[in-house]
Structure formats: C-alpha cells, structure tokens
Amino acid sequence: MELAVRVIPRAAHAGLAGMREAAVLVRLGAAPVDGAANAELVAVLAAAFSVPRRQVSLIAGDRSRLKRVRVTGVTASQVAAVVAAAVSRG
C-alpha cells in the first residue's frame, strides 16, 4: 500500500496525528538532518501498522515534508482504522 505522508519534524511527541490534505499526518521528534527524521518516520509507521521496519520504505520526498511511503502487507482499510484510532486518542 502506498501512502501520502506529511511530516512535522521537531514535534514534542512522535506519532500519527490524523489526516491533512489527503495525506497521513505524522509528527516526528527528530530534526530533518542527516536522514534522522526519515529513519524515525519509518520506525513510527512500522510501529503504528504493526509491521517490521523492513516493510516500510520511502519512495519519494526524501528531503520534503510531503513524502510517498510504501507499507507492505497493509490494506487501505487497515490504514484508515489506524489513523482513526490515532485521531480519537488525541
């Protein structure tokens, strides 16, 4: 499954934060320096979707806040459920 992801680096707390402009909004604690934010993005998405990090890969947007990410083994309905649960938690 390919996702559009919008990241917010240097956030106080890392995790999914809902949707923004048809993209999954992800807050990251890491700064966008030397790939640290991209590495944290992979870890956050892997944890959120309960898949190993090797099943999450960055397709496009290596240096952008708007990224394309592929998560193998996840369906669109699973993505919607995880994002909805993250939004309801706060």
Side-chain angles (χ1 to χ4, degrees):
M1 170 89 201
E2 288 188 18
L3 308 172
V5 176
R6 179 138 184 110
V7 299
I8 300 174
R10 296 188 184 113
H13 303 285
L16 299 182
M19 298 291 291
R20 182 179 292 171
E21 299 173 7
V24 177
L25 185 63
V26 181
R27 296 183 191 280
L28 303 172
V33 177
D34 296 329
N38 288 336
E40 185 177 2
L41 173 64
V42 169
V44 166
L45 291 176
F49 295 118
S50 301
V51 298
R53 283 186 282 177
R54 69 179 175 270
Q55 289 185 235
V56 180
S57 58
L58 188 62
I59 298 170
D62 188 46
R63 295 178 169 260
S64 172
R65 288 179 186 233
L66 186 59
K67 302 176 184 293
R68 300 281 315 157
V69 177
R70 178 177 291 127
V71 183
T72 307
V74 176
T75 65
S77 60
Q78 289 171 316
V79 170
V82 168
V83 171
V87 170
S88 68
R89 281 192 301 259

